[in-house]
Amino acid sequence: MAINHRLRFLLCLLTFKTGFSAEISVVVQTGNSVQLHIQTRELPEFDDLSWKNDKSEIIVKYTSETKRVRLHSSYKDRVDFNDTTFSLTLKNMQKTDNGLYRAIAAGESDNNIVTYRVSVIDAVEAPVLTVNANWTSSDSCTVNFTCRAHELMMNSTYQNNRCSPEEVTSHENYTLILDCSEESIICNHSNPVSWNEDKISIKELCINKGFSDVFVQTGASVQLDIQTQELPKTLILTWVKDKSATIVTFITGAKQILPETSYKERVQFNNETFSLTLKNMMKTDSGLYTAKGVEDNNKYFAEYKVSVIDAVEAPVLTVNSNGSRSDSCTVNFTCRSHELMINSTYQNNTCSPEEVTSHEIHTLTLDCSEKSIICNHSNPVSWKQDRINIEELCLYKEETPEERKPSESSLPWRAGVGVCVGALVAFILVLVLLYLKYKKGTQKVVVEGTQVEAQEMQKLNSDCNTYDIPDRVLAQAQEETGDKLSNTTYYTVGQFQTSPIPPKTDHTIYSMVCKRSPAITSDDA
């Protein structure tokens, strides 16, 4: 059965019809490689053959005429292409690689040669097999146990060298299988790409110690059964604690049940199977429980050592240090609970499974998968766990050229700074120009190395005094005298001299007035 089970989950190629073409489903474990074959013996004639993903990215393109193979940059170090069989091998598969992969031959028309649907999933975590109770007599052995993993759980009983095989499956294709042989109880956890198991040896459990160990969680109930293959033929049967305190007495002939007063509200006796059920168990109820016949020299039909214990406390998983690079991740961590502690290291997608057990039957188990680190604390009646997501610890992100570009939120800020700087520069230029204009004074014209100061047109009279005479004044004088005055324009030409800075004055405005001399006529001359 185990071989058939493994074959069923290791053969991961399932073909089914979807749409217009055959689609092949392939399941691959995270980190492994997968090879996609051309599913035909004869290919149509083609110019180019390409493998594409469901994002329409060309992973690899092969040109038949030149036999040239071109790879997509993002797949360059992760693919192998066989130019003889045209198969494609994808390496180091991650969950982001889930999707459709197509082989397309391009010639006179495009032909979809084959389509694969690839699913990348993690390997399963190890299951946990816990013994809840076991009792042994000279001719039989009974074990109650629990098989659990990945939120799946099964409770079962091993008796008469066998147990009923059981199987449960989650919607995520995780399967938990329970099986037994004469030598061991087996709890198997699997998915389409991996499997893991836990087993318990029957020989170690079914040792006749004279009594059977039963563990009960505080506040829970426990059922104690008769340990003989046939019901005892006795007139009076009693269940006793610690061989002295009677719990219940049963008179078989009258089928009369007589519970003791202190147990009246806490016990239930089955007059068909003679089993005893104790309710709301407390730690003071721990002890040796026996079923015996009064008239048969106190012959024992059952004997149990009952231990009432608390549920386990939650373990604590602590990360001491972690470091990530583009090709590896290392995490140092500690798993601790109930005075138990395990230190370990996660590296290369794995860590060494470890287990420690205290004298009080508390067990601390450490295990890792590619997805998480798991710290499990258990005892015979309960279990709890703490886990850390590896993906949250092993983060390595190299800055891409796009990420180096300024973000949209920074653009307004940078634009504002640019405007302010431009305005400041313009303001400074204006100040410099105003200063130069003030310093330079009146406009000056330089002609061939000699500066000519352009003054307002001036007129000279006979006494060589210079006056500014507007045209309208000159015209009026000419009308009065009837003489035509010379309309000559004079310029003062000389070597360039810097105009002295005028001294500070009291801002009084003075005007020089010159009395006009009589006009000189040609006759006077």
Coordinates of all heavy atoms in Angstrom, one line a residue, residues 4-39:
N4 N 2.2 1.9 -3.5 CA 1.2 2.5 -4.4 C 0.9 4.0 -4.0 O 0.7 4.8 -4.9 CB -0.1 1.7 -4.3 CG 0.1 0.3 -4.9 OD1 1.0 0.1 -5.7 ND2 -0.7 -0.7 -4.4
H5 N 0.9 4.2 -2.7 CA 0.7 5.6 -2.3 C 1.7 6.6 -2.8 O 1.5 7.7 -3.3 CB 0.6 5.7 -0.8 CG 0.6 7.0 -0.2 ND1 -0.4 7.9 -0.4 CD2 1.6 7.7 0.5 CE1 -0.1 9.1 0.1 NE2 1.1 9.0 0.7
R6 N 3.0 6.2 -2.7 CA 4.1 7.0 -3.1 C 4.1 7.2 -4.6 O 4.3 8.3 -5.1 CB 5.4 6.4 -2.7 CG 5.6 6.4 -1.2 CD 6.9 5.7 -0.8 NE 7.0 5.5 0.7 CZ 7.9 4.9 1.3 NH1 9.0 4.5 0.6 NH2 7.9 4.8 2.6
L7 N 3.8 6.2 -5.4 CA 3.7 6.3 -6.8 C 2.6 7.2 -7.2 O 2.8 8.0 -8.1 CB 3.5 4.9 -7.5 CG 4.7 3.9 -7.4 CD1 4.3 2.6 -8.0 CD2 5.9 4.5 -8.2
R8 N 1.5 7.2 -6.5 CA 0.4 8.0 -6.9 C 0.8 9.5 -6.7 O 0.3 10.3 -7.5 CB -0.8 7.7 -6.0 CG -2.0 8.5 -6.3 CD -3.2 8.1 -5.5 NE -3.0 8.4 -4.1 CZ -3.9 8.1 -3.2 NH1 -5.0 7.6 -3.5 NH2 -3.6 8.4 -1.9
F9 N 1.6 9.9 -5.7 CA 1.9 11.3 -5.5 C 3.2 11.7 -6.2 O 3.4 12.9 -6.2 CB 1.9 11.6 -4.0 CG 0.6 11.6 -3.4 CD1 0.1 10.5 -2.7 CD2 -0.2 12.7 -3.5 CE1 -1.2 10.5 -2.2 CE2 -1.5 12.7 -2.9 CZ -1.9 11.6 -2.3
L10 N 4.0 10.8 -6.6 CA 5.2 11.2 -7.3 C 5.0 11.3 -8.8 O 5.8 11.9 -9.5 CB 6.3 10.2 -7.0 CG 6.8 10.2 -5.5 CD1 7.9 9.2 -5.3 CD2 7.4 11.6 -5.2
L11 N 4.0 10.7 -9.3 CA 3.7 10.8 -10.8 C 2.7 12.0 -10.9 O 1.6 12.0 -10.6 CB 3.0 9.5 -11.3 CG 3.8 8.3 -11.3 CD1 3.0 7.1 -11.8 CD2 5.1 8.5 -12.2
C12 N 3.3 13.1 -11.3 CA 2.6 14.4 -11.2 C 2.1 14.9 -12.6 O 1.8 16.1 -12.7 CB 3.5 15.4 -10.6 SG 4.1 14.9 -9.0
L13 N 2.1 14.1 -13.6 CA 1.6 14.6 -14.9 C 0.2 14.1 -15.1 O 0.0 12.9 -15.2 CB 2.6 14.1 -16.0 CG 4.0 14.6 -16.0 CD1 4.8 14.0 -17.1 CD2 4.0 16.1 -16.1
L14 N -0.7 15.0 -15.2 CA -2.1 14.6 -15.5 C -2.6 15.4 -16.7 O -2.3 16.6 -16.8 CB -3.0 15.0 -14.3 CG -2.6 14.4 -12.9 CD1 -3.4 15.0 -11.8 CD2 -2.7 12.9 -13.0
T15 N -3.1 14.7 -17.6 CA -3.6 15.3 -18.9 C -5.1 15.5 -18.9 O -5.8 14.5 -18.5 CB -3.2 14.5 -20.1 OG1 -1.8 14.4 -20.1 CG2 -3.6 15.2 -21.4
F16 N -5.6 16.7 -19.2 CA -7.0 16.8 -19.3 C -7.3 17.9 -20.3 O -6.5 18.6 -20.8 CB -7.6 17.3 -17.9 CG -7.0 18.5 -17.4 CD1 -7.6 19.7 -17.6 CD2 -5.8 18.5 -16.7 CE1 -7.1 20.9 -17.1 CE2 -5.2 19.6 -16.3 CZ -5.8 20.8 -16.4
K17 N -8.6 17.9 -20.8 CA -9.0 18.8 -21.9 C -9.5 20.1 -21.3 O -10.3 20.2 -20.4 CB -10.1 18.2 -22.7 CG -9.7 16.9 -23.5 CD -8.8 17.3 -24.7 CE -8.4 16.1 -25.5 NZ -7.6 16.5 -26.6
T18 N -9.0 21.2 -21.8 CA -9.5 22.5 -21.5 C -9.5 23.4 -22.8 O -8.5 23.5 -23.4 CB -8.6 23.2 -20.5 OG1 -7.3 23.3 -21.0 CG2 -8.5 22.5 -19.2
G19 N -10.6 23.9 -23.1 CA -10.7 24.8 -24.3 C -10.5 24.0 -25.6 O -11.1 22.9 -25.8
F20 N -9.6 24.4 -26.5 CA -9.5 23.9 -27.8 C -8.3 23.0 -27.9 O -8.1 22.3 -28.9 CB -9.4 25.0 -28.8 CG -10.6 25.8 -28.8 CD1 -10.7 27.0 -28.2 CD2 -11.8 25.4 -29.5 CE1 -11.8 27.8 -28.2 CE2 -12.9 26.2 -29.5 CZ -12.9 27.4 -28.9
S21 N -7.3 23.0 -27.0 CA -6.1 22.2 -27.1 C -5.9 21.4 -25.8 O -6.4 21.8 -24.7 CB -4.9 23.1 -27.4 OG -4.7 24.0 -26.4
A22 N -5.1 20.4 -25.9 CA -4.7 19.6 -24.8 C -3.8 20.4 -23.8 O -2.9 21.0 -24.3 CB -4.0 18.3 -25.2
E23 N -4.1 20.3 -22.6 CA -3.3 21.0 -21.6 C -2.8 20.0 -20.6 O -3.5 19.2 -20.0 CB -4.2 22.1 -20.8 CG -3.5 22.9 -19.8 CD -4.4 23.9 -19.2 OE1 -4.8 24.9 -19.9 OE2 -4.8 23.8 -18.0
I24 N -1.5 20.0 -20.3 CA -0.9 19.1 -19.4 C -0.5 19.8 -18.1 O 0.1 20.8 -18.1 CB 0.4 18.5 -20.1 CG1 0.1 17.9 -21.4 CG2 1.1 17.5 -19.1 CD1 1.3 17.5 -22.2
S25 N -1.0 19.2 -17.0 CA -0.8 19.7 -15.7 C 0.5 19.1 -15.1 O 0.7 17.9 -15.1 CB -2.0 19.4 -14.8 OG -1.7 19.9 -13.5
V26 N 1.4 20.0 -14.6 CA 2.6 19.6 -14.0 C 2.8 20.3 -12.7 O 2.6 21.5 -12.6 CB 3.8 20.0 -14.9 CG1 5.1 19.6 -14.2 CG2 3.7 19.3 -16.3
V27 N 3.1 19.5 -11.6 CA 3.3 20.0 -10.3 C 4.8 19.8 -9.9 O 5.3 18.7 -10.1 CB 2.4 19.3 -9.3 CG1 2.6 19.9 -7.9 CG2 0.9 19.3 -9.7
V28 N 5.4 20.9 -9.5 CA 6.8 20.8 -9.2 C 7.1 21.5 -7.8 O 6.4 22.4 -7.4 CB 7.7 21.6 -10.2 CG1 7.2 23.0 -10.4 CG2 9.1 21.5 -10.0
Q29 N 8.0 20.9 -7.1 CA 8.4 21.4 -5.7 C 9.2 22.7 -5.8 O 10.0 22.8 -6.7 CB 9.2 20.3 -5.0 CG 9.5 20.7 -3.5 CD 10.2 19.6 -2.8 OE1 10.0 18.4 -3.1 NE2 11.1 19.9 -1.9
T30 N 8.9 23.6 -4.9 CA 9.6 24.8 -4.8 C 11.1 24.6 -4.8 O 11.6 23.8 -4.0 CB 9.2 25.7 -3.6 OG1 7.8 25.8 -3.6 CG2 9.8 27.0 -3.6
G31 N 11.8 25.3 -5.7 CA 13.3 25.2 -5.8 C 13.8 24.1 -6.7 O 15.0 24.1 -7.0
N32 N 12.9 23.2 -7.2 CA 13.3 22.2 -8.1 C 13.2 22.6 -9.6 O 12.8 23.7 -9.9 CB 12.5 20.9 -7.9 CG 12.9 20.2 -6.6 OD1 13.8 20.6 -5.9 ND2 12.2 19.1 -6.3
S33 N 13.6 21.7 -10.5 CA 13.5 22.0 -11.9 C 12.4 21.2 -12.5 O 12.0 20.2 -12.0 CB 14.9 21.7 -12.6 OG 15.9 22.4 -12.0
V34 N 12.0 21.6 -13.7 CA 11.0 20.9 -14.4 C 11.3 21.0 -15.9 O 11.8 22.0 -16.4 CB 9.5 21.5 -14.2 CG1 9.5 22.9 -14.6 CG2 8.5 20.7 -14.8
Q35 N 11.1 19.8 -16.6 CA 11.4 19.8 -18.0 C 10.1 19.6 -18.8 O 9.2 18.8 -18.5 CB 12.3 18.6 -18.4 CG 12.8 18.6 -19.8 CD 13.8 17.5 -20.0 OE1 13.7 16.4 -19.6 NE2 14.9 17.8 -20.8
L36 N 9.9 20.5 -19.8 CA 8.7 20.5 -20.6 C 9.1 20.0 -22.0 O 9.9 20.6 -22.7 CB 8.1 22.0 -20.7 CG 7.9 22.7 -19.3 CD1 7.3 24.1 -19.6 CD2 7.0 21.9 -18.4
H37 N 8.4 18.9 -22.4 CA 8.7 18.3 -23.7 C 7.7 18.7 -24.8 O 6.6 19.0 -24.5 CB 8.7 16.8 -23.5 CG 9.8 16.3 -22.6 ND1 11.1 16.1 -22.9 CD2 9.7 15.9 -21.3 CE1 11.8 15.6 -21.9 NE2 10.9 15.5 -20.9
I38 N 8.2 18.5 -26.0 CA 7.3 18.7 -27.2 C 6.5 17.3 -27.3 O 7.1 16.3 -27.4 CB 8.0 18.9 -28.5 CG1 8.8 20.2 -28.4 CG2 7.1 18.9 -29.7 CD1 7.9 21.5 -28.3
Q39 N 5.2 17.4 -27.1 CA 4.4 16.2 -27.1 C 3.9 15.7 -28.5 O 2.8 15.5 -28.7 CB 3.2 16.4 -26.2 CG 3.6 16.7 -24.7 CD 4.2 15.5 -24.0 OE1 3.8 14.4 -24.2 NE2 5.2 15.8 -23.2

